Amino acid sequence: MQRTNFGEMACSIARTLDVIGEPWSPLVLRDVYAGFTRFEQIQADLGISRKVLTERLNHLVDQGVLERRPYDQRPRFEYVLTEKGTELVDLLMVMVRWGDKWLAGPAGPPVLYRHHACGEVSSVDLRCAHCGEPMHAGDVDLLPGPGAAI
């Protein structure tokens, strides 16, 4: 069975899912962001099979989200976020806010985020890039863009 190629759809959500829609990919990105940069570290933290992790890492490198850097004389690599990958972590932080609000339960969130600029523990807040006001699903209208399918 052939997987649908979401990357060819005229939809930014579908195109993003083509990069990180496989369930392990966001968790691999989370681990690299958190400082687990070597294959063995990521594999141990996630409990993922070596085969699946290899596939995910190769895909994320091919998509330009991660960069592979050698760290030993042997062919061993560490993985670092590219600029593109760092922006995907911003997306994951929005997912964290939703998960903390709706799924954390009585124990509370498993991780807190301290903002460098003010030193306070906070969460991401979607804001309009033009006026700075909060921007949520009910605050916008959807209009066709220049890349819309006709």
Side-chain angles (χ1 to χ4, degrees):
M1 176 187 282
Q2 184 136 359
R3 181 176 170 256
T4 300
N5 185 349
F6 292 109
E8 294 181 4
M9 292 182 180
C11 171
S12 296
I13 295 171
R15 291 173 181 164
T16 302
L17 286 174
D18 195 55
V19 176
I20 63 161
E22 191 279 331
W24 287 111
S25 293
L27 299 177
V28 169
L29 289 174
R30 176 207 64 191
D31 271 15
V32 172
Y33 172 70
F36 298 101
T37 60
R38 296 183 178 177
F39 186 96
E40 292 77 17
Q41 294 171 319
I42 300 166
Q43 201 255 334
D45 186 60
L46 295 178
I48 186 175
S49 77
R50 295 182 69 81
K51 178 184 183 290
V52 172
L53 181 55
T54 298
E55 290 171 356
R56 291 297 87 216
L57 288 168
N58 287 339
H59 176 73
L60 293 169
V61 168
D62 291 346
Q63 293 295 317
V65 173
L66 293 178
E67 181 180 307
R68 188 180 286 121
R69 293 184 183 161
Y71 72 86
D72 197 350
Q73 298 291 13
R74 298 175 287 168
R76 292 190 180 257
F77 301 94
E78 63 180 359
Y79 296 88
V80 296
L81 292 165
T82 62
E83 181 181 353
K84 189 176 180 180
T86 300
E87 284 198 29
L88 267 176
V89 172
D90 293 345
L91 169 67
L92 297 181
M93 289 177 67
V94 173
M95 292 174 67
V96 165
R97 181 177 176 165
W98 185 88
D100 287 351
K101 179 177 180 177
W102 296 103
L103 306 172
V111 175
L112 299 176
Y113 295 81
R114 184 183 1 254
H115 186 223
H116 290 169
C118 69
E120 295 295 322
V121 171
S122 190
S123 61
V124 297
D125 186 26
L126 297 176
R127 300 253 167 205
C128 174
H130 180 72
C131 71
E133 289 295 313
M135 186 170 166
H136 300 286
D139 301 325
V140 300
D141 295 319
L142 303 179
L143 307 171
I150 297 175

